[in-house]
């Protein structure tokens, strides 16, 4: 995968994960153009499109668009499954996730993504294991933040 | 829940800003506060501040002042700070930033940290934004982790290694042994990572590929386990056990089985099993089936298996889900060359997809349909394609039009059908056709000599109907100019003859000339057609003269030049007019002297470099024409990129001198002002002072004196300038063949060979 974008129906970016080295300016340009292109598509259209020289796979969940750019050899249908798995993970973590959860806890959305995908590829295919790892990491974070009462 | 309240407060504050300006104000204040905090000593709220900055960055505001803070946070011993620090590094630092190198050491330390979640952070960051140098530095560490750690770390190390190999190909060798041993792990995450790593290694190095072929039985075994095994709640997705792993294994098998009989054989049964047993009611099943089909079609599979695969694609084509139809067509496109007949069986469904609402599906259907056109189905396919063209989205029209032309050219059952088809396309989508269409069509028409009458009638009617499609109008004008006499004669075998008078025809051409819809190129065509009619009609020559002279003061330079020259043709060179304007010869395709007939006036979007080298003659010398001891020959040379030199050589082999001779050559001129090659004639008059022994070349301007010396050879060179490409050179040459020489007050007419000498004293 080259990058994943989450954006609202108004075109506001809620998450962007880039797996290829591009400058900030280039990223902004790509995001802007791609978001426009996808928002212009009608609801029943194909989830796949060829845009510039990339293969784009996108799906809309409630008010959020999940959009991935994959390589030529990548299987588009399994990418849809990857997107779906990520949504399920968010849902399990936040308990019936909605866009606001992702806005106000964006860093957690990133942490969850980073436990599911690494370097653009899926690293863990078991939902249970991903959630367990996040839980443990969260616990570790809490412990490290609690000030030491006893010296 | 971690106390990130300050972050959420800030987010709330930003979101409640009602205008962009207000939002900017809030953000500026926050950034200032964050900057101040960064400068302070560790105050326990560092991670919150960085998180705030990252949010601001996501909104699109600059955040580079946070880069050093990321570096510091990553080095902190606190996990909470490391976590946000690494996240910041992945968002703010990319390999092009200098600061990214500073974290290499931290990453190195964290890779050996006692806590696996810290190691995980380091691995994730390296895999996301590690530069080539960082990868080289840390590769040995990764290799170590690949061999000796727990599954949680191993799976991440594997994907990290993938990233390293993508950045520094040579390091692939380092990871190959470890990758091999990972295949015997039970943990799905590790297996998945291992398969991805092996895939990457094999794709990049053919030797590695050879070595890993031995793993095919192991992979088949793993896959069998997934397919046959009972329900495994941990990895199940809609009844399929770990589809992600299945898809990756299938992809690896594809690479290993390609071009290798033995490997392909070993996986044959498995592929058949997966293809038949996988449940295709949900997307996830179809994803696995799709990958299976791709693999079957790419390896050396048995024919039975191939048929099975193509049938699966056929089923996909009938699926209600548009996505499935789309990928079915993408796959069929790949095999339409090799398994043409198998794909032909599904032609009906594919053609139906031309009517789908979705533009991506339409595009795929168009490409496939064009690939499936053959001699046996050309008529029915063309009907569908033309129907598609009349209602297709604008971005596909050019592709559809050129695809139709190509198919028509290859499989046209008759010339008339061919011409009809092209005319149909021009009437429907004339604005989207490529530039070569007009000259190609003209050539086609010229060559279909039995159909000239039919064609000119059809085009005349089309012209009366609609003069907005420029390519159609250009072809129509050209035809009327060439074959106007056939139109006026009123008899036609193939179609209803029209009662057309000379005035009608001239009216039509004048309408084109005067219409604001006509492009300059089109008007050029119309003017030349009008001029040509002067030799084909009987009564209205005066009208033509007046039209031509009006345009002598036209504001368009090209039209003006043509009109002036045509006027000159009327006035000073009337004796040559018939010869100059006579019918164009039949053009042979791809013969060196002739290419696409008229150098039609389409604007060239790209300049193609002429292929002829300098100084090389473009044509062998034309056979000499001899009369009364005078021999005239013609040759052409390319002098430079923009100058073509035509040399007419005459030799006097009589016993006496020749005097008072004039050479007049009608040489097609190429427009100087634009890059359009146009059909135009200009007459250069050259006279010679004397005939001398050596060949002398003269510019194509006038020379006055006339005296010749016995037995000598002289020649004249005419320069034509600004031609654009080789085909146009040949057009010029074919027209130069119509050069007329008046020599010694005798008119010599150059080839086309069948024409007799005209002489006039």
């Amino acid at each position: 995968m080259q990058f994943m974008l989450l954006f609202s129906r108004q075109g506001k970016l809620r998450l962007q994960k880039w797996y290829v080295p591009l400058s900030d300016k280039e990223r902004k340009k790509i995001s802007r153009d791609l978001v426009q292109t996808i928002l212009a598509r009608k609801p029943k259209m194909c989830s796949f499109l060829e845009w510039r020289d990339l293969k784009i796979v996108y799906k809309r969940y409630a008010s959020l668009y999940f959009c991935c750019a994959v390589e030529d050899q990548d299987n588009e249908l399994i990418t849809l499954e990857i997107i779906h798995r990520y949504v399920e993970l968010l849902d399990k973590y936040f308990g019936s996730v909605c866009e606001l959860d992702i806005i106000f806890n964006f860093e957690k959305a990133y942490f969850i993504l980073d436990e599911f995908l690494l370097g653009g590829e899926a690293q863990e295919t078991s939902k249970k294991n991903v959630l367990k790892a996040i839980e443990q990491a969260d616990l570790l974070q809490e412990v490290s933040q609690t000030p030491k009462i006893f010296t | 829940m971690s106390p990130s309240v300050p972050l959420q407060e800030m987010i709330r504050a930003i979101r409640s800003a009602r205008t962009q300006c207000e939002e900017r104000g809030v953000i500026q204040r926050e950034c200032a506060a964050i900057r101040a905090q960064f400068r302070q000593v560790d105050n326990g709220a560092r991670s919150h501040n960085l998180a705030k900055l990252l949010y601001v960055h996501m909104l699109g505001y600059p955040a580079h002042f946070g880069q050093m803070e990321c570096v510091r946070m990553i080095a902190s011993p606190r996990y909470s700070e490391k976590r946000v620090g690494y996240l910041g590094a992945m968002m703010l630092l990319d390999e092009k930033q200098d600061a990214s190198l500073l974290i290499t050491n931290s990453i190195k330390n964290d890779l050996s940290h006692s806590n696996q979640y810290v190691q995980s952070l380091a691995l994730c960051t390296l895999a996301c934004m590690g530069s080539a140098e960082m990868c080289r530095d840390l590769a040995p560490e990764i290799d170590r982790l690949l061999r000796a750690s727990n599954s949680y770390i191993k799976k991440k190390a594997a994907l990290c290694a993938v990233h390293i190999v993508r950045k520094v190909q040579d390091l692939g060798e380092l990871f190959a042994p470890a990758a091999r041993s990972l295949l015997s792990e039970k943990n799905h995450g590790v297996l998945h990572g291992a398969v991805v790593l092996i895939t990457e290694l094999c794709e990049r190095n053919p030797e590695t590929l050879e070595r890993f072929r031995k793993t095919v039985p192991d992979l088949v075994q793993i896959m069998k386990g997934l397919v046959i095994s009972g329900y495994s709640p941990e990895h199940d997705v809609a009844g399929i056990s770990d589809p992600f792993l299945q898809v990756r294994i299938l992809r690896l098998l594809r690479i290993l089985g390609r071009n290798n009989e033995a490997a392909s054989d070993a996986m044959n049964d498995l592929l058949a099993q997966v293809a038949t047993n996988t449940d295709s009611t949900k997307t996830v099943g179809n994803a696995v089936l799709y990958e299976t089909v791709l693999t079957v079609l790419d390896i050396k599979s048995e024919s039975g298996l191939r048929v099975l695969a193509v049938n699966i694609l056929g089923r996909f084509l009938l699926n209600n889900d548009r996505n499935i139809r789309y990928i079915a067509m993408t796959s069929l496109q790949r095999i339409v060359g090799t398994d043409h007949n198998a794909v032909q069986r599904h032609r009906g469904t594919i053609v139906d997809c031309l009517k789908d609402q979705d533009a991506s599906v339409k595009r795929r259907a168009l490409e496939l349909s064009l690939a499936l056109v053959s001699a046996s189905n050309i008529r029915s396919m063309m009907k569908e394609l033309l129907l598609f063209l009349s209602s297709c989205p604008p971005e596909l029209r050019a592709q559809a039009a050129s695809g139709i032309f190509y198919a028509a050219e290859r499989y046209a059952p008759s010339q008339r059908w061919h011409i009809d088809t092209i005319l149909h396309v021009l009437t429907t989508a004339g604005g989207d056709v490529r530039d070569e269409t007009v000259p190609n069509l003209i050539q086609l028409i010229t060559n279909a000599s039995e159909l000239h009458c039919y064609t000119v009638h059809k085009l005349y009617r089309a012209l009366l109907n609609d003069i907005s499609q420029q390519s159609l109008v250009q072809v129509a004008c050209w035809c009327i100019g060439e074959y106007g006499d056939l139109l006026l004669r009123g008899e036609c075998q193939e179609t209803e003859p029209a009662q057309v008078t000379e005035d009608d025809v001239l009216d039509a051409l004048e309408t084109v000339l005067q219409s604001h819809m006509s492009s300059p190129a089109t008007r050029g065509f119309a003017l030349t057609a009008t001029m040509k009619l002067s030799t084909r009609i009987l009564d209205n020559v005066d009208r033509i003269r007046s039209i031509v002279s009006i345009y002598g003061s036209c504001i368009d330079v090209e039209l003006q030049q043509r009109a002036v020259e045509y006027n000159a043709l009327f006035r000073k060179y009337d004796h040559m007019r018939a010869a100059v304007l006579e019918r164009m010869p039949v053009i042979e395709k791809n013969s060196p002297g002739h290419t696409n007939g008229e150098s039609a006036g389409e604007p060239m979007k790209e300049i193609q470099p002429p292929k002829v080298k300098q100084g090389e003659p473009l044509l062998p010398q034309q056979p000499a024409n001899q009369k009364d001891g005078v021999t005239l020959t013609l040759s052409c040379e390319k002098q430079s990129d923009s100058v073509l030199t035509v040399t007419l050589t005459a030799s006097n082999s009589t016993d006496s001198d020749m005097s008072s001779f004039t050479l007049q050559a009608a040489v097609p001129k190429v427009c100087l002002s634009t890059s359009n090659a146009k059909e135009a004639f200009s007459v250069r008059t050259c006279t010679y002072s004397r005939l001398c022994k050596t060949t002398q070349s003269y510019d194509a301007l006038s020379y006055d004196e006339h005296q010749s010396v016995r037995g000598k050879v002289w020649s004249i060179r005419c320069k034509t300038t600004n031609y654009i490409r080789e085909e146009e050179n040949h057009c010029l040459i074919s027209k130069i063949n119509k050069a007329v020489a008046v020599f010694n007050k005798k008119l010599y007419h150059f080839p086309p060979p069948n024409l007799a000498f005209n002489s006039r004293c």
Side-chain angles (χ1 to χ4, degrees):
Chain A
M1 191 182 300
Q2 297 209 5
F3 59 83
M4 181 191 278
L5 303 175
L6 265 70
F7 52 92
S8 70
R9 273 192 293 170
Q10 288 77 42
K12 287 211 127 101
L13 269 183
R14 299 299 178 204
L15 186 148
Q16 43 172 330
K17 187 78 188 180
W18 296 81
Y19 295 106
V20 286
L22 287 170
S23 70
D24 237 7
K25 205 163 140 213
E26 288 166 320
R27 289 181 186 181
K28 277 213 183 97
K29 182 147 205 316
I30 291 177
S31 309
R32 203 175 36 229
D33 291 345
L34 184 54
V35 166
Q36 295 291 36
T37 309
I38 293 184
L39 287 176
R41 284 168 80 84
K42 300 198 207 73
K44 290 274 184 189
M45 286 175 90
C46 202
S47 288
F48 315 130
L49 68 143
E50 271 133 42
W51 183 79
R52 307 227 176 131
D53 53 348
L54 296 168
K55 274 209 297 204
I56 306 287
V57 179
Y58 75 96
K59 190 147 184 210
R60 190 174 137 206
Y61 287 85
S63 58
L64 267 184
Y65 284 87
F66 287 70
C67 167
C68 299
V70 295
E71 263 95 27
D72 245 359
Q73 326 92 293
D74 285 331
N75 182 326
E76 292 98 319
L77 292 177
I78 210 76
T79 310
L80 274 179
E81 287 301 310
I82 287 184
I83 292 177
H84 190 76
R85 173 58 63 90
Y86 182 46
V87 172
E88 284 178 326
L89 289 167
L90 290 171
D91 197 52
K92 210 62 204 280
Y93 183 83
F94 287 108
S96 213
V97 67
C98 63
E99 192 185 339
L100 281 179
D101 288 322
I102 301 187
I103 296 172
F104 281 96
N105 300 285
F106 73 97
E107 83 276 19
K108 303 223 183 62
Y110 275 101
F111 297 148
I112 295 172
L113 186 62
D114 285 340
E115 272 303 323
F116 175 44
L117 301 179
L118 198 93
E121 307 282 346
Q123 59 175 290
E124 178 57 66
T125 56
S126 152
K127 227 188 316 188
K128 191 180 83 182
N129 288 350
V130 176
L131 291 168
K132 206 162 56 173
I134 298 276
E135 207 183 294
Q136 296 287 50
D138 279 350
L139 203 61
L140 188 60
Q141 177 170 327
E142 272 211 45
V143 166
S144 74
Q145 278 174 325
T146 314
K148 289 203 172 78
I149 307 171
F150 302 103
T151 25
Chain B
M1 290 305 283
S2 60
S4 58
V5 169
L7 167 64
Q8 295 189 339
E9 272 174 17
M10 183 195 80
I11 297 178
R12 215 166 275 128
I14 293 175
R15 283 171 61 78
S16 59
R18 266 161 302 173
T19 65
Q20 182 79 335
C21 190
E22 219 181 300
E23 179 183 288
R24 262 201 298 271
V26 175
I27 294 205
Q28 263 173 6
R29 276 197 307 276
E30 288 290 340
C31 283
I34 293 169
R35 264 196 171 101
Q37 300 269 21
F38 282 170
R39 280 193 282 269
Q40 282 181 14
V41 168
D42 177 9
N43 54 11
R46 279 167 68 189
S47 55
H48 301 319
N49 287 319
L50 187 54
K52 282 187 195 174
L53 184 59
L54 294 179
Y55 182 82
V56 163
H57 176 251
M58 199 159 60
L59 289 179
Y61 294 90
H64 31 262
F65 59 88
Q67 286 175 5
M68 284 316 291
E69 185 68 10
C70 291
V71 176
R72 261 177 260 134
M73 299 264 281
I74 288 173
S76 153
R78 286 212 193 109
Y79 180 73
S80 55
E81 292 180 354
K82 270 198 203 290
R83 215 182 186 193
V84 182
Y86 274 115
L87 179 63
M90 287 190 273
M91 284 175 77
L92 300 181
L93 299 175
D94 58 68
E95 62 178 44
K96 299 190 183 135
Q97 313 274 11
D98 297 327
S100 63
L101 285 174
L102 297 173
I103 61 175
T104 312
N105 213 33
S106 297
I107 294 182
K108 191 174 195 156
N109 293 335
D110 284 339
L111 282 175
S112 339
H113 202 276
S114 52
N115 188 307
Q116 65 178 14
Y117 297 104
V118 174
Q119 287 178 299
S120 158
L121 290 176
L123 285 165
C124 185
T125 309
L126 182 59
C128 181
M129 45 77 73
S131 66
E133 301 98 80
M134 287 165 76
C135 290
R136 251 187 274 266
D137 258 345
L138 299 166
E141 281 298 305
I142 304 297
D143 187 50
R144 191 180 56 79
L145 290 173
L146 266 181
R147 292 166 195 278
S149 54
N150 59 26
S151 334
Y152 181 74
I153 293 300
K154 266 193 189 153
K155 74 184 189 211
K156 294 179 192 258
L159 292 178
C160 206
V162 171
H163 176 86
I164 293 178
V165 170
R166 283 180 185 159
K167 284 280 176 213
V168 185
Q169 194 157 324
D170 311 327
L171 288 171
E173 275 306 301
L174 173 64
F175 296 119
R180 178 77 183 80
S181 56
L182 285 178
L183 274 184
S184 40
E185 299 261 340
K186 292 285 172 255
N187 180 297
H188 280 222
V190 178
L191 271 178
H192 188 274
V195 172
V196 176
L197 177 57
I198 296 174
T199 309
E200 194 70 33
L201 294 174
C202 292
E203 273 175 347
R204 286 174 188 270
N205 190 325
E207 284 162 16
T208 318
L209 177 65
E210 284 297 324
R211 293 211 304 270
F212 273 103
R213 277 228 180 85
K214 303 192 204 92
T215 63
V216 170
D218 299 321
L219 292 167
V220 168
Q221 209 48 37
I222 298 172
M223 197 59 195
K224 272 211 173 96
L226 292 172
V227 173
I228 302 177
S229 72
Y231 177 71
S232 149
E234 202 175 323
H235 299 288
D236 182 275
V237 181
I240 315 265
S241 188
D242 206 338
F244 304 105
L245 182 57
Q246 287 196 27
V247 164
R248 287 317 301 232
I249 292 181
L250 286 166
R251 190 161 141 188
L252 178 55
L253 286 174
R254 179 154 80 240
I255 296 172
L256 296 175
R258 206 179 269 155
N259 292 327
N260 187 298
E261 294 274 355
S264 302
D265 276 340
M267 52 181 87
N268 206 72
D269 285 344
L270 168 73
L271 292 172
Q273 195 170 23
V274 178
T276 30
N277 290 347
T278 307
D279 176 20
S280 61
T281 46
K282 295 268 173 64
T283 308
V284 66
N286 287 326
V288 175
L289 278 176
Y290 177 43
E291 198 73 33
T292 313
V293 165
L294 288 179
T295 302
V296 168
L297 295 174
D298 216 7
I299 63 172
K300 296 210 173 285
S301 47
E302 281 175 8
S303 58
L305 193 53
R306 279 187 98 84
V307 168
L308 182 60
V310 177
N311 286 347
I312 292 179
L313 289 180
R315 261 190 2 243
F316 278 1
L317 273 180
L318 299 165
N319 197 304
N320 281 329
D321 188 340
R322 192 170 266 136
N323 293 335
I324 309 280
R325 290 206 296 273
Y326 178 87
I327 55 139
M329 285 196 280
T330 315
S331 320
L332 286 171
Q333 184 78 36
R334 270 184 238 177
I335 58 166
V336 74
T338 47
D339 297 76
H340 191 93
N341 293 331
V343 184
Q344 278 283 3
R345 251 175 268 145
H346 303 283
R347 194 177 73 238
T349 325
I350 293 170
V351 166
D352 278 337
C353 287
L354 282 171
K355 306 185 187 102
D356 196 299
Q357 301 284 343
D358 184 310
S360 320
V361 174
K362 270 194 165 97
R363 182 193 298 273
R364 287 269 164 268
L366 174 65
E367 282 170 12
L368 256 184
S369 303
L370 289 172
L372 288 176
V373 173
S374 73
S376 47
N377 60 35
I378 179 72
R379 282 190 197 267
S380 53
M381 284 298 275
M382 196 49 81
K383 238 188 289 204
E384 296 285 347
L385 288 169
L386 289 174
L387 199 62
F388 171 72
L389 187 63
S390 50
S391 61
C392 84
E395 63 268 14
L396 289 178
R397 289 175 103 182
Q399 190 180 357
S402 63
I404 289 175
F405 282 155
Y406 181 69
E409 205 176 294
R410 281 185 79 184
Y411 301 113
S414 72
Q415 277 186 320
R416 179 173 155 174
W417 181 95
H418 195 174
I419 290 176
D420 280 340
T421 306
I422 298 187
L423 289 181
H424 192 135
V425 175
L426 286 180
T427 20
T428 348
D432 297 291
V433 298
R434 303 237 175 90
D435 303 331
E436 311 85 66
T437 310
V438 172
N440 285 343
L441 179 56
I442 287 177
Q443 178 174 354
L444 184 64
I445 293 175
T446 317
N447 290 357
S449 21
E450 329 77 63
L451 291 169
H452 286 168
C453 192
Y454 167 75
T455 313
V456 71
H457 273 90
K458 261 204 113 160
L459 280 167
Y460 176 69
R461 281 200 197 98
L463 191 66
L464 289 180
N465 218 358
D466 173 20
I467 57 169
S468 62
Q469 300 275 34
Q470 297 305 297
S471 21
L472 184 64
V473 173
Q474 284 170 9
V475 177
C477 289
W478 188 90
C479 270
I480 293 174
E482 280 288 305
Y483 311 120
D485 49 325
L486 298 175
L487 183 63
L488 293 164
R489 211 178 293 163
E491 22 171 271
C492 185
Q493 285 175 330
E494 307 254 353
T495 181
E496 280 286 307
Q499 294 306 313
V500 184
T501 67
E502 293 179 0
D503 273 316
D504 291 334
V505 178
L506 289 173
D507 281 342
L509 288 174
E510 256 196 300
T511 316
V512 174
L513 268 172
Q514 290 163 0
S515 163
H516 61 276
M517 285 192 279
S518 301
S519 72
T522 309
R523 293 170 86 195
F525 268 88
L527 187 62
T528 304
T530 311
M531 186 60 190
K532 282 192 198 167
L533 282 176
S534 71
T535 54
R536 289 159 176 71
I537 63 177
L538 308 160
D539 300 327
N540 274 311
V541 185
D542 286 329
R543 182 174 170 185
I544 292 181
R545 281 192 80 145
S546 65
I547 294 175
V548 165
S549 59
I550 290 173
Y551 279 88
S553 43
C554 173
I555 244 181
D556 182 304
V557 172
E558 172 62 21
L559 280 181
Q560 192 189 110
Q561 187 153 19
R562 289 192 189 206
V564 164
E565 287 169 2
Y566 295 157
N567 267 328
L569 207 52
F570 269 121
R571 274 185 282 112
K572 278 166 58 180
Y573 303 103
D574 208 38
H575 53 279
M576 286 168 67
R577 184 162 53 90
V580 170
L581 296 175
E582 67 176 21
R583 279 249 217 289
M584 289 297 287
V586 170
I587 314 294
E588 274 161 41
K589 229 180 182 174
N590 296 327
S591 75
H594 315 91
T595 40
N596 48 343
E598 291 283 54
S599 59
E602 280 295 298
M604 311 298 165
K605 293 200 181 99
E606 270 182 69
I607 295 185
Q608 293 171 28
K611 291 175 202 147
V612 183
K613 298 194 209 70
Q614 279 198 2
E616 228 179 67
L618 279 164
L619 273 189
Q621 282 212 328
Q622 299 293 298
N625 279 304
Q626 242 219 6
K627 190 166 181 173
D628 295 349
V630 177
T631 317
L632 293 167
T633 60
L634 180 71
S635 69
C636 307
E637 249 173 51
K638 180 174 172 299
Q639 292 292 303
S640 73
D641 271 343
S642 62
V643 177
L644 170 73
T645 304
V646 177
T647 308
L648 295 121
T649 311
S651 51
N652 169 12
S653 46
T654 62
D655 283 338
S656 54
D657 291 352
M658 294 186 184
S659 57
S660 306
F661 59 89
T662 357
L663 177 70
Q664 290 177 324
V667 174
K669 179 192 77 68
V670 181
C671 178
L672 294 165
S673 53
T674 71
S675 60
N676 301 342
K678 309 242 199 273
E679 163 196 327
F681 293 92
S682 79
V683 178
R684 312 269 186 225
T685 306
C686 320
T687 55
Y688 286 87
S689 53
R690 62 170 183 278
L691 209 58
C692 48
K693 197 164 196 167
T694 56
T695 313
Q696 274 189 325
S697 62
Y698 296 85
D699 234 20
L701 293 172
S702 56
Y703 288 84
D704 289 322
E705 235 327 281
H706 342 312
Q707 168 101 32
S708 77
V709 176
R710 153 203 357 224
K712 300 302 189 203
V713 173
W714 55 269
S715 75
I716 159 196
R717 273 202 192 156
C718 314
K719 282 203 188 124
T720 69
T721 54
N722 278 356
Y723 63 79
I724 295 302
R725 51 183 193 181
E726 189 183 329
E727 297 87 80
E728 281 139 52
N729 299 344
H730 294 152
C731 300
L732 297 178
I733 292 162
S734 68
K735 285 200 285 256
I736 290 168
N737 284 342
K738 293 163 66 57
V740 172
V742 177
F743 184 69
N744 207 15
K745 294 203 181 148
K746 291 190 175 140
L747 197 80
Y748 288 89
H749 197 156
F750 272 92
N754 301 334
L755 298 169
F757 278 100
N758 302 333
S759 85
R760 195 194 87 149
C761 295

